[in-house]
Amino acid sequence: MAPAITLAAEAPKLSSANTGFMLIASALVLIMTPGLAFFYGGMVRVKSTLNMLMMSFISMGLVTILWVLYGFSMSFGTDHGSLIGWTGDYVGWSGIDKMDLWPGYTIPVFVFAVFQMMFAIITPALISGALADRVKFSAWTLFLLLWATIVYFPVAHWVWGTGGWAFELGVIDFAGGTAVHINAGAAALGVILVIGKRVGFKRDPMRPHSLPLVMLGAGLLWFGWFGFNAGSWLGNDDGVGPLMFVNTQIATGAAMLAWLAYEKIRHGAFTTLGAASGAVAGLVAITPSGGAVSPLGAIAVGAIAGVACAAAVGLKYRFNYDDSLDVVGVHMVGGIAGSLLIGLFASGKGQSDVKGLFYGGGMHQFWIQCAGVFGVLAYSLVVSAVLAFLLDKTIGMRVTEDEEMSGIDQAEHAETAYDFSGTGGGVVGSSAGPVPAATQSKKVDA
């Protein structure tokens, strides 16, 4: 009898299906940043609209370049001390061939790198909502550069990079509950504790100027989040990606309903802002947990997060910190809820065989999740506060009080979002005649 011949396992080959899917997912994640810009832009007063849009858009340019130069290497390069990565070939992407595959997967390194680039872009943009109305654009841009380098890139390595301490500990974060949402929410809290409150906080009305823009932004976020979440499995060969896609929709719907119910009971109305915020809270909470829980578990995660975040947004008035657009209440609290609930609702039938308390797994995974959650939260909070303090003491973080009162759009960008003069645009057949006295007497509440 001839001796058996053992063949070495075939190396993974490029999958055009998975590669195409990941390119689409990357584009979906990118559209989330303009979606965030509209979401935040509609929530501020008229005089701050353009500044809010620009605080997101600048991240699309700046972080892209940082990611290519060194961010990808720091986040996903060879591990050094469980704290940071570094691979020379990833610096400037100079040593990556177009056919090099990401280890263990069937997609090119370029595709994985550009997918993760979109996460690096949106994460610091999330912080901007807490700082609305009062931060110099130049100071924000420098903070963005420093924060991405010192906070986001290392934390991404901790959570997702092979050898990172949270990764090796077994912290489950499918698509960014810790690395994205808790990280950004804690950073927002650290910065606002340093730079202080807006002029007129708790005294002047600071209502959203355009709820249709808020709803448009929320819709774009919801749409793009399917790429954000389902794409994070890097392919569709085993059903986990589709499970995450389904759970994303389910949890988001549950959170929106829960937020609206809480709002009706507490305040007597179902608001459009509540619907949009509830949807985002559900998206945040399912981001870390959606690959680990069942569809019924996704309902529970969404509903719990919807109520928790709705309750949390009011804490800024109780504790007197000015989180302009509720980044702390939605992203930090939602990220904490979604991450910790893995320890209760993990079914063992999704991305791994890890089971939570309600599925017979005890509290082991819950405590692991706690380590990841509070480790990232503490690091981001402290380092972000220190960065804000140093910038404030050197170049100054805030615009002047007069500029804040008159409008940061005009002061920082020499533009306004809307032309109310009646002479702009170029509408065919428009009259350039005198403005009626009745119109002249009307004032726009900015």
Side-chain angles (χ1 to χ4, degrees):
M1 184 175 179
I5 299 176
T6 303
L7 299 176
E10 290 189 12
K13 296 180 180 179
L14 186 146
S15 166
S16 58
N18 284 339
T19 298
F21 168 74
M22 289 305 301
L23 290 173
I24 293 170
S26 299
L28 286 171
V29 181
L30 180 62
I31 201 65
M32 291 172 67
T33 300
L36 180 74
F38 284 123
F39 182 68
Y40 282 168
M43 290 174 70
V44 295
R45 291 168 288 178
V46 168
K47 61 186 179 181
S48 303
T49 306
L50 292 180
N51 181 252
M52 203 71 262
L53 296 175
M54 281 291 287
M55 289 177 82
S56 288
F57 267 75
I58 191 63
S59 185
M60 296 171 70
L62 179 60
V63 178
T64 294
I65 303 305
L66 299 181
W67 189 250
V68 173
L69 293 179
Y70 57 84
F72 180 59
S73 182
M74 289 178 64
S75 300
F76 292 99
T78 302
D79 176 70
H80 295 276
S82 298
L83 296 175
I84 199 68
W86 192 260
T87 296
D89 285 347
Y90 293 167
V91 177
W93 297 6
S94 56
I96 304 174
D97 185 78
K98 65 182 180 181
M99 292 300 291
D100 289 344
L101 298 186
W102 187 243
Y105 293 89
T106 58
I107 62 173
V109 174
F110 276 135
V111 173
F112 177 76
V114 80
F115 178 69
Q116 288 294 336
M117 175 194 288
M118 306 314 179
F119 282 68
I121 287 170
I122 195 171
T123 303
L126 293 171
I127 302 169
S128 65
L131 318 181
D133 298 331
R134 59 201 191 274
V135 173
K136 294 178 183 175
F137 187 70
S138 56
W140 164 250
T141 303
L142 183 54
F143 175 84
L144 192 69
L145 186 156
L146 295 172
W147 190 86
T149 302
I150 300 172
V151 180
Y152 181 77
F153 299 157
V155 170
H157 181 74
W158 298 353
V159 176
W160 292 320
T162 301
W165 69 262
F167 182 89
E168 297 301 324
L169 186 62
V171 175
I172 294 176
D173 185 356
F174 195 98
T178 51
V180 175
H181 297 290
I182 295 172
N183 199 5
L189 181 59
V191 175
I192 59 181
L193 291 177
V194 170
I195 67 171
K197 299 178 281 293
R198 290 168 290 179
V199 175
F201 176 65
K202 295 202 297 186
R203 184 190 69 216
D204 299 336
M206 298 180 179
R207 295 183 294 271
H209 89 277
S210 176
L211 288 169
L213 273 186
V214 173
M215 298 300 277
L216 171 63
L220 287 172
L221 285 169
W222 195 332
F223 175 69
W225 223 293
F226 290 112
F228 192 86
N229 279 357
S232 291
W233 200 241
L234 308 184
N236 285 309
D237 297 327
D238 57 5
V240 176
L243 173 66
M244 184 56 160
F245 192 105
V246 167
N247 282 345
T248 298
Q249 178 68 17
I250 292 170
T252 307
M256 181 177 67
L257 296 177
W259 186 301
L260 288 173
Y262 177 91
E263 193 174 53
K264 178 65 175 176
I265 293 169
R266 286 294 304 272
H267 307 295
F270 304 111
T271 69
T272 51
L273 182 60
S277 300
V280 173
L283 290 164
V284 170
I286 203 63
T287 292
S289 59
V293 303
S294 68
L296 285 177
I299 293 176
V301 169
I304 292 169
V307 173
C309 292
V313 296
L315 294 178
K316 62 185 180 183
Y317 300 110
R318 180 177 301 177
F319 295 108
N320 203 35
Y321 62 88
D322 187 7
D323 176 13
S324 306
L325 307 182
D326 301 317
V327 177
V328 177
V330 173
H331 291 277
M332 192 178 82
V333 173
I336 291 171
S339 297
L340 296 184
L341 288 173
I342 293 170
L344 305 181
F345 291 104
S347 67
K349 298 179 180 180
Q351 66 186 92
S352 70
D353 58 2
V354 171
K355 295 182 179 181
L357 176 65
F358 299 153
Y359 287 81
M363 292 292 287
H364 179 69
Q365 189 62 36
F366 180 83
W367 298 122
I368 290 176
Q369 295 302 119
C370 284
V373 163
F374 294 109
V376 170
L377 191 157
Y379 178 76
S380 184
L381 176 68
V382 172
V383 175
S384 301
V386 170
L387 288 176
F389 177 82
L390 293 176
L391 289 173
D392 195 44
K393 295 301 181 183
T394 52
I395 64 172
M397 283 286 284
R398 295 188 62 145
V399 297
T400 67
E401 185 173 330
D402 286 344
E403 288 172 334
E404 184 178 337
M405 293 294 291
S406 61
I408 196 170
D409 284 358
Q410 190 65 52
E412 290 292 297
H413 307 291
E415 298 171 308
T416 56
Y418 307 101
D419 182 2
F420 294 111
S421 68
T423 60
V427 179
V428 176
S430 64
S431 171
V435 179
T439 304
Q440 291 179 16
S441 66
K442 294 181 180 179
K443 295 183 178 178
V444 177
D445 178 16

